Amino acid sequence: MKTGIKNMKKEVRGQLITYGLVIGVFIIVQVMLSLGMISNLMQGLLVPLCTYSIVAVALNLCVGYLGELSLGHAGFMCVGAFSSAFFTKCTMTTGLNENVRFFLALLVGTLTAALFGYLIGIPVLRLRGDYLAIVTLAFGEIIKNVINVLYIGRDSAGFHFGMKDETSLGLGEDGEVLVNGAKGIMRTPHQSTFTIGVILLLISLFVCFQLVNSRSGRAIMAIRDNRIAAESVGIPITKYKLLAFTISAAIAGIGGVLYAHNLSTLTAQPANFGYNMSIMILVFVVLGGMGSFRGSVIAAVLLTMLPEILRGLADYRMLIYAIVLIAMMLFNWSPKLIEFRKKFIADVFKKKEKEAA
Amino acid sequence: MALLEVSNLSISFGGLRAVDNFSLNIEKNQLYGLIGPNGAGKTTVFNMLTGVYRPDEGIIRLDGQDLVGKKTIEINQAGIARTFQNIRLFGQQTVMDNVKIGLHNQYEYSTLTGILRLPKYHSMEKAMNEKAIDLLKVFELEDKADYLASNLPYGQQRKLEIARALATNPKLLLLDEPAAGMNPNETQELMDTIRFVRDNFDMTILLIEHDMRLVAGICEDLTVLNFGQVLAQGDTKTVLKNPEVIKAYLGE
């Protein structure tokens, strides 16, 4: 058993360490929660932390493994959030079991986001580099803005759609507005919990890890490393690009579902689904290290918590935030520091072995 | 019937006729050389054969199958694999994975099988690993299987590229300047490897090369290109003695 973990393939070990880390943090937080050691403010942050981690993992699949820069992931998150919240809102009165309903909402959100990823991917993935980034940015904004003018109501006659305002829906007396334009979807149930968030994060990590360590994953990385060579060995470029992009969008959709069911009113604001969000997620991915899912999760958690932890420092908050950003950048990308880090980890492992022996 | 039949192949870029009326027949199991001064159009011929460029005119047939207008991927599946003049490996992946990417179309399983690790995943991966190790052994790279491809020394990167091309199970192997940047020892070793590949994989090989020692050493037949046109064609000894060829290479 002692040599078991050493003999495992490197990628499997990395995978297990990541799962262990997530589960470990989860247990610690649960213990702290039961001891009442976590402030209300921090408790409110637990689900968003999972959301951002999931979306960061999704974007890392797209940026780090497929090698295509997408700035539209907040858009996919938005699609997942609204489609699932809409589903929940529609089925609230049907007396469906709450957990079953949440599970179905999760499927709806994920599949809708995947569909959007697929449809947007077809034209967009013909572009590369900066152009792709700009077009995905635009698509993200379009999704957000369309949702802001979308009105959907329901009465005994069925569903009514509109793009103008509430009254133009022409609802009957028993009618109910489900999606109310810029006011969003109101009074949705509060179903996301920290436990569900962590489970969804683990599922997302599992899917991503298994994908990149399989035949399809190798093909995706081959396209990233050298497109011409990948073509020359018979890898269908378009198919695998679309596959990775769609899966990435679907996982961002999972993040959206979690996000939507953590709020009582879901609106598409620039702050939550705008490009700032896309760029923030990109910051998580870049700082955590492109091609490292574990890094994405760690960066998402640290950088989301940091402003809250530093709240007491008032004016210096953003200054320290900036310094931490720079420090993380150096820690992850400076060759000297990477060397130091590796050596440090190797030393620690050696020590442990000696103690064990 | 020849394995590869190329006739009257031509392509122009703007006003420049890069390759003009190029014809070539390669028999199965032959080791064929394509030589010529810089800018003669050799790599352009390769790019037409592999579907990177579409020829303006001409016919390309592999085993009787028409290849003009097909995509690179389809041509690879039809049985032509190539290496590149400037090495194009998947640098951020291991040596092993580079070969396994070459095996992509031989051992198929779906993405879902891969994610869920169904039994087929394990059996296919096992078969792939065995095949990949076999190929790496041919090129004496098996002990470097876990290295990142970009960390290999130059000569071994060239070998890995050939291994990857062979992994796609081609009928015809195109090598674009395999000895470029190699020292005489490495070149000698490469010649042995190319011969070994031809004999043991029952492979037909077409190679572009500037190193005359290599060309004279292993190629059975040669075509000489100059300014996009065929200057001479035939068995190596005769062609290399041809005064026109000497003139094209060394000047008057």
Side-chain angles (χ1 to χ4, degrees), chain A residues 85-139:
Chain A
F86 178 68
F87 176 82
T88 305
K89 187 87 183 155
C90 285
T91 50
M92 255 170 95
T93 48
T94 55
L96 204 62
N97 177 299
E98 260 192 19
N99 295 325
V100 175
R101 190 182 63 202
F102 183 74
F103 180 71
L104 290 176
L106 182 66
L107 281 186
V108 169
T110 312
L111 292 178
T112 318
L115 178 72
F116 269 73
Y118 182 75
L119 292 178
I120 291 173
I122 291 171
V124 157
L125 288 175
R126 290 166 185 273
L127 301 170
R128 257 174 265 161
D130 305 348
Y131 301 100
L132 180 77
I134 292 167
V135 177
T136 48
L137 180 73
F139 267 109

Side-chain angles (χ1 to χ4, degrees), chain A residues 9 11 15 206-207 209-211 213-237 239-240 243 247, chain B residues 72-73 76-77 80-82 84 87-93 97 100-102 104-105 107-111 114-117 121 125 128-129 164-165 168:
Chain A
K9 273 172 99 182
E11 60 216 37
Q15 230 171 355
F206 178 80
V207 169
F209 273 126
Q210 304 288 70
L211 175 71
N213 292 321
S214 73
R215 172 175 171 267
S216 308
R218 281 193 298 267
I220 290 165
M221 287 186 277
I223 296 168
R224 171 197 67 189
D225 282 355
N226 202 316
R227 211 180 66 92
I228 294 172
E231 242 175 344
S232 86
V233 293
I235 303 228
I237 307 283
K239 180 185 153 187
Y240 282 107
L243 178 82
I247 292 178
Chain B
T72 309
I73 298 163
N76 177 264
Q77 279 157 6
I80 298 184
R82 72 175 291 186
F84 296 87
I87 301 172
R88 289 179 183 274
L89 288 170
F90 306 123
Q92 293 309 303
Q93 301 196 59
D97 281 349
K100 279 164 89 176
I101 291 165
H104 185 87
N105 289 325
Y107 298 87
E108 294 192 22
Y109 62 83
S110 72
T111 307
I115 290 176
L116 297 178
R117 299 284 194 258
Y121 164 87
E125 285 287 315
M128 267 173 139
N129 284 335
R164 186 184 65 191
T168 67

Side-chain angles (χ1 to χ4, degrees), chain A residues 161-178:
Chain A
F161 296 89
M163 303 280 280
K164 217 166 122 209
D165 55 31
E166 239 175 284
T167 46
S168 69
L169 286 173
L171 290 176
E173 286 204 348
D174 58 340
E176 178 194 16
V177 181
L178 297 171

Side-chain angles (χ1 to χ4, degrees), chain A residues 187-228:
Chain A
R187 287 189 298 278
T188 46
H190 217 91
Q191 277 182 306
S192 300
T193 61
F194 183 51
T195 314
I196 292 179
V198 169
I199 292 171
L200 291 179
L201 175 60
L202 286 173
I203 292 175
S204 309
L205 282 169
F206 178 80
V207 169
C208 288
F209 273 126
Q210 304 288 70
L211 175 71
V212 300
N213 292 321
S214 73
R215 172 175 171 267
S216 308
R218 281 193 298 267
I220 290 165
M221 287 186 277
I223 296 168
R224 171 197 67 189
D225 282 355
N226 202 316
R227 211 180 66 92
I228 294 172

